[in-house]
Amino acid sequence: MSMTISDLHAFLKDAFPQVADDFAIEDMTQDTMRVRLRVTDKHLRPGGTVSGPSIFALADVGLYLMILSRLGPVALAVTTNCSVDFMRKPKAATDLIADTRLLKLGRVLAVGDVLIRSEGDEKPVARASLTYSIPPNG
Amino acid sequence: MSMTISDLHAFLKDAFPQVADDFAIEDMTQDTMRVRLRVTDKHLRPGGTVSGPSIFALADVGLYLMILSRLGPVALAVTTNCSVDFMRKPKAATDLIADTRLLKLGRVLAVGDVLIRSEGDEKPVARASLTYSIPPNG
Amino acid sequence: MSMTISDLHAFLKDAFPQVADDFAIEDMTQDTMRVRLRVTDKHLRPGGTVSGPSIFALADVGLYLMILSRLGPVALAVTTNCSVDFMRKPKAATDLIADTRLLKLGRVLAVGDVLIRSEGDEKPVARASLTYSIPPNG
Amino acid sequence: MSMTISDLHAFLKDAFPQVADDFAIEDMTQDTMRVRLRVTDKHLRPGGTVSGPSIFALADVGLYLMILSRLGPVALAVTTNCSVDFMRKPKAATDLIADTRLLKLGRVLAVGDVLIRSEGDEKPVARASLTYSIPPNG
């Protein structure tokens, strides 16, 4: 791996200061990463449900960081496709936990998927798959 | 149609006060709707690009309002799937225009798609398709 | 455009002899193409419904031919993603008509979507979006 | 579980006689199922690659059987969405192995995903996610 969890947190803070504090990498292996969305008011819909765009953002950031950890901070992977199945209502005002898998890291495309659940609950809230385009000399 | 553009704007303000001002319905027919995302700082990534979650939100709100216009405000359609292709970088700090099509409005599922472009540009920034589950007595 | 409808039919016959007779291009513009699936027994499920894999094949061949018409026969575009919404039951033992749109033809990726209906019916049976990877010097 | 592997094979033979011999369930747990596609000439493209529609069919049949095993043979689940990422070229003329996961079995919708690889190879050829609509009294 080209970047550690600390490297990735520092990169997030530098490149995406508005949202860096929302995310925390909790665990990382060669092919998987666990990322937490620290749920605050801005992520909630009336009634306390975490919003769809927040779930989308968690899936996207999770796999983006995973690709970064392998390619290093020079890489500027660009999301080209994201497909999300929303399966259950998230628990009210509870952090979300995303488990990401990198399924392919090719020369021009990277593909992975993400399973998202509310902390303290095993049943998945959402499932997402994403594709990233990797620029040449990325 | 069960709701006019004014009805839908009032509904948005009431049900989603945090985001209602971000969206404006510009046109509506039996099967299509044009919705504007008023892009402000909170929608931007460093460099001025509109963020992925903002594009997702526009697609989702656009089709949600379209379904609402047909079923009336009682209906609580729930997004079950959203697939987005990100095709081009949006213009910096420019409103996005979403053209939505309702392809199916069934008893339990509604399906539609959305083409999104930067205002003043014809080439699509993103394409999305979404499915909604419609609760009984919705 | 690099290839005419006749060119494309000849290419299909040469490159995919097992399935070439199943498909007929009916119309082609700069950004759209209409392709017919000549439905025969092998495409049917018990009860006379056109099978899911046949609908998938029509969407994939339709956009593949559309990309080919623009890049010429040297290009070997490879399908990397296909997302299909199945919306209505096709009419029994009736040809399917696919209307394809090319939304992006980039240097490394092409993206388009397809609306499929039974001949003689306006309501769509299925909607698909597809991404293709275009090899260098393709 | 409502149906055993033998029950499911008998159901396939009865309901889908044209394709039943193409598929073999190799393993089944509460939430997962492994299904083999016995690759023969009809599944191949020139060059010996397994075709996209055959990969689609394997993903769809795999999750369909998994849902059936839980609901019993009365249930007529209907595929409403299928999204496939094609990641690597399958090995020439080699059986495909699909590992399916059932992520949600609700009252009206079931959702799952599938990882497909060539026998004897660990790297996935394709990843698919599917949604099924479950009719009332299914």
Side-chain angles (χ1 to χ4, degrees):
Chain A
M1 278 171 273
S2 299
M3 298 177 78
T4 65
I5 291 181
S6 295
D7 292 341
L8 291 166
H9 281 147
F11 175 91
L12 253 194
K13 208 150 232 152
D14 195 50
F16 302 103
Q18 317 99 307
V19 299
D21 288 340
D22 297 356
F23 302 100
I25 304 170
E26 310 236 308
D27 192 37
M28 182 165 84
T29 72
Q30 178 72 4
D31 297 314
T32 68
M33 187 182 273
R34 176 167 291 181
V35 182
R36 171 186 299 267
L37 177 68
R38 293 194 188 99
V39 168
T40 59
D41 276 359
K42 68 175 168 178
H43 302 112
L44 301 179
R45 288 269 181 265
T49 300
V50 182
S51 74
S54 301
I55 291 173
F56 171 90
L58 173 56
D60 192 18
V61 167
L63 262 166
Y64 178 81
L65 290 173
M66 167 121 234
I67 294 168
L68 220 61
S69 77
R70 300 285 294 275
L71 295 182
V74 185
L76 288 164
V78 174
T79 311
T80 57
N81 176 266
C82 178
S83 177
V84 188
D85 292 302
F86 298 95
M87 297 185 286
R88 294 177 183 85
K89 213 177 148 150
K91 279 166 67 174
T94 302
D95 282 3
L96 291 181
I97 307 293
D99 284 299
T100 76
R101 289 192 297 186
L102 189 57
L103 297 171
K104 174 181 174 164
L105 182 56
R107 201 176 42 79
V108 295
L109 291 179
V111 180
D113 63 9
V114 187
L115 214 51
I116 294 177
R117 56 191 176 77
S118 294
E119 187 168 35
D121 199 343
E122 279 314 300
K123 300 200 172 190
V125 158
R127 186 214 62 74
S129 35
L130 297 105
T131 302
Y132 297 80
S133 169
I134 301 168
N137 316 317
Chain B
M1 279 170 273
S2 300
M3 299 177 77
T4 65
I5 292 181
S6 295
D7 292 341
L8 291 166
H9 282 148
F11 175 90
L12 253 194
K13 210 150 230 152
D14 194 50
F16 302 102
Q18 318 98 305
V19 299
D21 288 340
D22 296 358
F23 302 100
I25 303 171
E26 309 236 309
D27 192 37
M28 182 165 85
T29 71
Q30 177 72 4
D31 297 314
T32 67
M33 187 182 273
R34 176 167 290 180
V35 181
R36 172 187 298 267
L37 176 68
R38 293 194 189 99
V39 168
T40 60
D41 275 359
K42 67 176 169 179
H43 302 112
L44 301 179
R45 288 270 181 266
T49 301
V50 182
S51 74
S54 301
I55 291 173
F56 171 90
L58 173 56
D60 192 19
V61 167
L63 262 165
Y64 179 81
L65 290 173
M66 169 122 233
I67 293 169
L68 220 61
S69 77
R70 301 285 295 275
L71 296 183
V74 184
L76 287 166
V78 174
T79 312
T80 56
N81 175 266
C82 177
S83 178
V84 188
D85 291 303
F86 298 95
M87 297 186 286
R88 293 176 184 86
K89 213 177 147 148
K91 279 166 68 174
T94 302
D95 283 2
L96 291 181
I97 307 294
D99 284 300
T100 76
R101 288 192 297 186
L102 189 57
L103 298 171
K104 174 180 174 165
L105 182 57
R107 202 176 41 79
V108 294
L109 291 179
V111 180
D113 63 9
V114 187
L115 214 51
I116 294 176
R117 56 191 175 77
S118 295
E119 186 169 35
D121 200 342
E122 278 314 301
K123 300 200 173 190
V125 159
R127 187 214 63 75
S129 34
L130 297 105
T131 301
Y132 297 80
S133 169
I134 301 168
N137 316 318
Chain C
M1 278 171 272
S2 299
M3 297 176 79
T4 63
I5 292 181
S6 294
D7 292 341
L8 291 166
H9 281 147
F11 175 89
L12 252 194
K13 210 150 229 154
D14 194 49
F16 302 103
Q18 317 98 305
V19 298
D21 288 340
D22 297 356
F23 303 100
I25 304 171
E26 310 236 308
D27 191 39
M28 181 165 87
T29 72
Q30 177 71 6
D31 298 313
T32 67
M33 187 182 273
R34 175 167 291 180
V35 182
R36 171 188 298 265
L37 176 68
R38 293 195 189 102
V39 169
T40 59
D41 275 0
K42 67 176 169 180
H43 302 113
L44 301 179
R45 288 267 181 267
T49 301
V50 183
S51 73
S54 300
I55 291 173
F56 171 91
L58 173 57
D60 192 17
V61 167
L63 263 164
Y64 179 82
L65 290 173
M66 169 125 230
I67 294 168
L68 219 63
S69 77
R70 301 284 294 274
L71 295 182
V74 184
L76 289 165
V78 175
T79 311
T80 57
N81 177 266
C82 177
S83 178
V84 188
D85 291 302
F86 298 94
M87 298 186 285
R88 293 176 184 88
K89 210 176 150 151
K91 279 166 67 175
T94 302
D95 282 3
L96 292 180
I97 307 294
D99 283 300
T100 76
R101 287 192 299 187
L102 189 58
L103 298 170
K104 173 182 174 163
L105 181 58
R107 203 176 41 78
V108 294
L109 291 180
V111 181
D113 62 10
V114 187
L115 215 50
I116 294 176
R117 56 189 176 78
S118 294
E119 187 168 34
D121 200 343
E122 279 314 301
K123 302 201 171 188
V125 158
R127 187 215 63 74
S129 35
L130 298 104
T131 301
Y132 296 79
S133 170
I134 301 168
N137 316 319
Chain D
M1 277 171 274
S2 300
M3 297 176 79
T4 64
I5 291 181
S6 294
D7 292 342
L8 291 166
H9 281 147
F11 175 90
L12 252 194
K13 209 148 230 154
D14 194 50
F16 301 103
Q18 318 98 305
V19 299
D21 288 340
D22 297 356
F23 302 101
I25 304 171
E26 310 235 309
D27 192 39
M28 182 165 87
T29 72
Q30 177 71 4
D31 298 314
T32 67
M33 186 181 275
R34 176 167 290 180
V35 181
R36 171 188 298 266
L37 176 68
R38 293 194 189 102
V39 169
T40 59
D41 275 0
K42 69 176 168 179
H43 303 112
L44 301 179
R45 288 269 180 267
T49 301
V50 183
S51 74
S54 301
I55 291 173
F56 171 91
L58 173 57
D60 192 18
V61 167
L63 262 165
Y64 178 81
L65 290 174
M66 167 122 234
I67 294 168
L68 218 63
S69 76
R70 300 285 293 275
L71 294 183
V74 184
L76 288 165
V78 174
T79 311
T80 56
N81 176 266
C82 177
S83 178
V84 189
D85 291 303
F86 298 94
M87 297 186 285
R88 292 176 185 88
K89 211 177 150 151
K91 279 166 68 174
T94 301
D95 282 2
L96 291 181
I97 307 294
D99 284 299
T100 76
R101 288 192 296 187
L102 189 58
L103 297 170
K104 173 181 174 163
L105 181 58
R107 201 176 42 78
V108 294
L109 291 179
V111 181
D113 62 9
V114 187
L115 214 51
I116 293 176
R117 55 189 175 78
S118 295
E119 186 167 36
D121 200 342
E122 278 314 301
K123 302 202 171 186
V125 158
R127 187 215 62 73
S129 35
L130 298 104
T131 301
Y132 296 80
S133 170
I134 300 169
N137 316 320

